[in-house]
Coordinates of all heavy atoms in Angstrom, one line a residue:
A13 N 0.1 -10.0 11.6 CA 1.6 -9.9 11.7 C 2.0 -8.4 11.5 O 1.5 -7.7 10.7 CB 2.3 -10.7 10.6
E14 N 2.9 -8.0 12.4 CA 3.4 -6.6 12.3 C 4.8 -6.7 11.8 O 5.7 -7.3 12.4 CB 3.4 -6.0 13.7 CG 3.7 -4.5 13.7 CD 3.3 -3.9 15.0 OE1 2.9 -4.5 16.0 OE2 3.5 -2.6 15.1
Y15 N 5.0 -6.0 10.6 CA 6.3 -6.1 10.0 C 7.0 -4.7 10.1 O 6.3 -3.7 9.8 CB 6.2 -6.4 8.5 CG 5.6 -7.8 8.3 CD1 4.6 -8.0 7.3 CD2 6.0 -8.9 9.0 CE1 4.1 -9.2 7.0 CE2 5.4 -10.2 8.7 CZ 4.5 -10.3 7.8 OH 4.0 -11.6 7.5
S16 N 8.3 -4.6 10.4 CA 9.0 -3.4 10.4 C 9.3 -2.9 9.0 O 9.3 -3.8 8.1 CB 10.3 -3.6 11.2 OG 11.2 -4.5 10.5
I17 N 9.7 -1.7 8.9 CA 10.1 -1.2 7.6 C 11.4 -2.0 7.1 O 11.5 -2.3 5.9 CB 10.5 0.3 7.7 CG1 9.2 1.2 7.7 CG2 11.4 0.8 6.5 CD1 8.5 1.2 6.4
E18 N 12.3 -2.3 8.0 CA 13.5 -3.1 7.6 C 13.1 -4.5 7.1 O 13.7 -4.9 6.1 CB 14.4 -3.2 8.9 CG 15.0 -1.9 9.4 CD 14.0 -1.1 10.2 OE1 13.0 -1.6 10.7 OE2 14.3 0.1 10.3
F19 N 12.1 -5.1 7.7 CA 11.7 -6.4 7.2 C 11.0 -6.2 5.8 O 11.2 -7.0 4.9 CB 10.7 -7.1 8.2 CG 10.3 -8.5 7.7 CD1 11.2 -9.5 7.7 CD2 9.0 -8.7 7.3 CE1 10.8 -10.8 7.2 CE2 8.6 -9.9 6.8 CZ 9.5 -11.0 6.8
L20 N 10.2 -5.2 5.7 CA 9.5 -5.0 4.4 C 10.6 -4.7 3.3 O 10.4 -5.2 2.2 CB 8.5 -3.8 4.5 CG 7.3 -4.0 5.3 CD1 6.5 -2.7 5.5 CD2 6.4 -5.1 4.7
Q21 N 11.6 -4.0 3.6 CA 12.7 -3.8 2.7 C 13.4 -5.1 2.3 O 13.7 -5.3 1.2 CB 13.7 -2.8 3.3 CG 14.9 -2.5 2.4 CD 14.5 -1.6 1.2 OE1 13.7 -0.8 1.4 NE2 15.1 -1.9 0.1
S22 N 13.6 -6.0 3.3 CA 14.2 -7.3 3.1 C 13.3 -8.1 2.1 O 13.8 -8.8 1.2 CB 14.4 -8.0 4.4 OG 15.0 -9.3 4.2
L23 N 12.0 -8.1 2.3 CA 11.1 -8.8 1.4 C 11.2 -8.2 0.0 O 11.3 -9.0 -1.0 CB 9.6 -8.6 1.9 CG 9.1 -9.4 3.1 CD1 7.7 -9.0 3.4 CD2 9.2 -10.9 2.8
H24 N 11.2 -6.9 -0.1 CA 11.2 -6.2 -1.4 C 12.5 -6.5 -2.1 O 12.5 -6.7 -3.3 CB 11.1 -4.7 -1.1 CG 11.3 -3.9 -2.3 ND1 10.4 -3.8 -3.4 CD2 12.4 -3.1 -2.7 CE1 10.9 -3.0 -4.3 NE2 12.1 -2.6 -3.9
E25 N 13.6 -6.6 -1.4 CA 14.9 -6.9 -2.1 C 14.9 -8.3 -2.7 O 15.6 -8.5 -3.7 CB 16.1 -6.8 -1.1 CG 16.4 -5.3 -0.7 CD 17.3 -5.2 0.5 OE1 17.8 -6.2 1.0 OE2 17.6 -4.0 0.8
K26 N 14.2 -9.3 -2.1 CA 14.1 -10.6 -2.6 C 13.2 -10.7 -3.8 O 13.4 -11.4 -4.8 CB 13.7 -11.6 -1.5 CG 14.7 -11.7 -0.4 CD 16.0 -12.4 -0.8 CE 16.9 -12.5 0.4 NZ 18.2 -13.0 0.0
S27 N 12.0 -10.1 -3.7 CA 11.0 -10.0 -4.7 C 10.0 -8.9 -4.4 O 9.3 -9.0 -3.3 CB 10.3 -11.4 -4.8 OG 9.4 -11.4 -5.9
P28 N 9.9 -7.9 -5.2 CA 9.0 -6.8 -4.9 C 7.6 -7.2 -4.7 O 7.1 -8.1 -5.4 CB 9.1 -5.8 -6.1 CG 10.4 -6.2 -6.7 CD 10.6 -7.7 -6.4
S29 N 6.9 -6.6 -3.8 CA 5.5 -6.9 -3.5 C 4.6 -6.2 -4.5 O 5.0 -5.2 -5.1 CB 5.1 -6.6 -2.0 OG 5.9 -7.5 -1.2
I30 N 3.3 -6.6 -4.5 CA 2.3 -5.9 -5.3 C 1.6 -4.9 -4.5 O 1.2 -5.2 -3.4 CB 1.4 -7.0 -5.9 CG1 2.0 -7.9 -7.0 CG2 0.1 -6.4 -6.5 CD1 2.9 -8.9 -6.5
I31 N 1.3 -3.7 -5.1 CA 0.6 -2.7 -4.4 C -0.5 -2.2 -5.3 O -0.4 -2.3 -6.5 CB 1.5 -1.5 -3.9 CG1 2.3 -1.0 -5.1 CG2 2.3 -2.0 -2.8 CD1 3.1 0.3 -4.8
A32 N -1.5 -1.6 -4.7 CA -2.6 -0.8 -5.4 C -2.4 0.6 -4.9 O -2.3 0.9 -3.7 CB -4.0 -1.4 -5.0
K33 N -2.3 1.5 -5.9 CA -2.1 2.9 -5.5 C -3.3 3.7 -6.1 O -3.7 3.5 -7.2 CB -0.8 3.4 -6.1 CG 0.4 3.0 -5.4 CD 1.7 3.5 -6.0 CE 2.0 4.9 -5.5 NZ 3.3 5.4 -5.9
D34 N -3.7 4.7 -5.4 CA -4.6 5.7 -5.8 C -3.8 7.0 -5.8 O -3.6 7.6 -4.7 CB -5.9 5.8 -4.9 CG -6.9 6.7 -5.5 OD1 -6.7 7.3 -6.6 OD2 -8.0 6.8 -4.9
D35 N -3.4 7.5 -6.9 CA -2.4 8.6 -7.0 C -1.2 8.1 -6.2 O -0.6 7.1 -6.5 CB -3.0 9.9 -6.5 CG -4.1 10.4 -7.5 OD1 -3.9 10.2 -8.7 OD2 -5.1 11.0 -7.0
D36 N -0.8 8.9 -5.1 CA 0.4 8.5 -4.4 C 0.0 7.7 -3.1 O 0.9 7.3 -2.4 CB 1.2 9.7 -4.0 CG 1.9 10.3 -5.2 OD1 2.2 9.6 -6.1 OD2 2.2 11.5 -5.1
L37 N -1.2 7.4 -2.9 CA -1.7 6.7 -1.7 C -1.7 5.2 -1.9 O -2.3 4.7 -2.9 CB -3.1 7.2 -1.3 CG -3.7 6.6 0.0 CD1 -2.9 7.1 1.2 CD2 -5.1 7.1 0.1
I38 N -1.0 4.4 -1.0 CA -1.1 3.0 -1.1 C -2.4 2.6 -0.5 O -2.7 2.9 0.7 CB 0.0 2.3 -0.2 CG1 1.4 2.8 -0.7 CG2 -0.1 0.8 -0.3 CD1 1.7 2.4 -2.2
V39 N -3.3 1.9 -1.3 CA -4.6 1.5 -0.9 C -4.8 0.0 -0.8 O -5.8 -0.5 -0.4 CB -5.7 2.1 -1.8 CG1 -5.6 3.7 -1.7 CG2 -5.6 1.7 -3.2
G40 N -3.7 -0.7 -1.1 CA -3.7 -2.2 -1.0 C -2.4 -2.7 -1.2 O -1.5 -2.1 -1.9
Y41 N -2.1 -3.9 -0.7 CA -0.9 -4.6 -0.9 C -1.0 -6.1 -0.7 O -1.8 -6.6 0.0 CB 0.3 -4.1 0.0 CG 0.1 -4.3 1.5 CD1 0.4 -5.5 2.1 CD2 -0.5 -3.2 2.3 CE1 0.2 -5.7 3.4 CE2 -0.6 -3.4 3.6 CZ -0.3 -4.6 4.2 OH -0.5 -4.8 5.5
A42 N -0.1 -6.8 -1.5 CA 0.0 -8.3 -1.3 C 1.5 -8.5 -1.2 O 2.3 -8.3 -2.2 CB -0.6 -9.0 -2.5
L43 N 2.0 -8.9 0.0 CA 3.4 -9.1 0.2 C 3.9 -10.4 -0.4 O 3.3 -11.4 -0.1 CB 3.8 -9.0 1.7 CG 3.4 -7.7 2.4 CD1 3.8 -7.7 3.8 CD2 4.0 -6.4 1.7
V44 N 5.0 -10.4 -1.1 CA 5.6 -11.6 -1.7 C 6.7 -12.1 -0.7 O 7.6 -11.3 -0.4 CB 6.3 -11.3 -3.0 CG1 7.0 -12.5 -3.6 CG2 5.3 -10.7 -4.0
A45 N 6.5 -13.3 -0.2 CA 7.4 -13.9 0.8 C 8.0 -15.2 0.1 O 7.3 -16.1 -0.1 CB 6.7 -14.2 2.1
L46 N 9.3 -15.1 -0.1 CA 10.0 -16.3 -0.6 C 10.6 -17.2 0.5 O 10.8 -16.7 1.6 CB 11.1 -15.8 -1.6 CG 10.7 -14.9 -2.7 CD1 12.0 -14.5 -3.5 CD2 9.7 -15.5 -3.6
K47 N 10.9 -18.4 0.2 CA 11.4 -19.3 1.1 C 12.7 -18.8 1.8 O 13.0 -19.1 2.9 CB 11.7 -20.7 0.5 CG 10.5 -21.5 0.1 CD 10.9 -22.8 -0.6 CE 9.7 -23.6 -1.0 NZ 10.0 -24.9 -1.7
S48 N 13.5 -18.0 1.0 CA 14.7 -17.5 1.5 C 14.6 -16.5 2.7 O 15.6 -16.3 3.4 CB 15.5 -16.8 0.4 OG 14.8 -15.8 -0.1
I49 N 13.4 -16.0 3.0 CA 13.2 -15.1 4.1 C 12.5 -15.7 5.3 O 12.3 -15.1 6.3 CB 12.4 -13.8 3.7 CG1 11.0 -14.2 3.2 CG2 13.2 -13.0 2.6 CD1 10.0 -14.2 4.2
R50 N 12.3 -17.0 5.2 CA 11.4 -17.7 6.1 C 11.9 -17.5 7.6 O 11.0 -17.5 8.5 CB 11.3 -19.2 5.8 CG 12.6 -20.0 6.0 CD 12.6 -21.4 5.5 NE 11.5 -22.2 6.1 CZ 10.9 -23.1 5.4 NH1 11.2 -23.4 4.2 NH2 9.9 -23.8 6.0
D51 N 13.1 -17.4 7.8 CA 13.6 -17.4 9.2 C 13.8 -15.9 9.7 O 14.3 -15.7 10.8 CB 14.9 -18.1 9.4 CG 14.7 -19.6 9.2 OD1 13.6 -20.1 9.5 OD2 15.6 -20.3 8.6
Q52 N 13.3 -15.0 8.9 CA 13.5 -13.6 9.4 C 12.3 -13.0 10.2 O 12.4 -11.9 10.6 CB 13.8 -12.7 8.1 CG 15.1 -13.0 7.5 CD 15.3 -12.1 6.3 OE1 14.8 -11.0 6.2 NE2 16.2 -12.6 5.4
H53 N 11.2 -13.8 10.3 CA 10.1 -13.4 11.0 C 9.4 -14.6 11.6 O 9.1 -15.6 10.9 CB 9.1 -12.6 10.1 CG 8.0 -11.9 10.9 ND1 6.9 -12.5 11.4 CD2 8.0 -10.6 11.3 CE1 6.2 -11.6 12.1 NE2 6.8 -10.4 12.0
E54 N 9.2 -14.6 12.9 CA 8.6 -15.8 13.6 C 7.3 -16.4 13.0 O 7.2 -17.6 12.8 CB 8.5 -15.5 15.1 CG 8.0 -16.7 15.9 CD 7.8 -16.3 17.4 OE1 8.1 -15.2 17.8 OE2 7.3 -17.2 18.1
L55 N 6.4 -15.5 12.7 CA 5.1 -16.0 12.2 C 5.3 -16.6 10.8 O 4.7 -17.6 10.5 CB 4.1 -14.8 12.1 CG 3.5 -14.3 13.4 CD1 2.6 -13.1 13.2 CD2 2.7 -15.4 14.1
L56 N 6.1 -16.0 10.0 CA 6.4 -16.5 8.6 C 7.1 -17.8 8.7 O 6.9 -18.8 8.0 CB 7.1 -15.5 7.7 CG 6.2 -14.4 7.2 CD1 7.1 -13.4 6.4 CD2 5.1 -15.0 6.3
A57 N 8.1 -17.9 9.6 CA 8.8 -19.2 9.8 C 7.9 -20.3 10.2 O 7.9 -21.4 9.6 CB 9.9 -19.0 10.9

């Protein structure tokens, strides 16, 4: 799945996702998707 910055922001506003950082570099992530965003992306729906 390819998510836009706007969609990532929408996910974050509902429930922040988990990230792994090495200094300032994002080296991993686990996106939190709640039922309330289900219709905002076709694959997630």
Side-chain angles (χ1 to χ4, degrees):
E14 190 168 2
Y15 300 136
S16 67
I17 284 287
E18 294 77 21
F19 182 70
L20 291 171
Q21 181 70 35
S22 181
L23 285 175
H24 172 72
E25 288 169 1
K26 298 292 183 187
S27 185
S29 293
I30 286 79
I31 54 173
K33 288 182 82 169
D34 188 359
D35 293 322
D36 287 332
L37 182 66
I38 303 298
V39 298
Y41 63 82
L43 302 180
V44 178
L46 304 180
K47 291 178 183 181
S48 60
I49 61 88
R50 71 187 302 145
D51 294 325
Q52 294 181 26
H53 194 280
E54 183 181 356
L55 287 175
L56 283 176

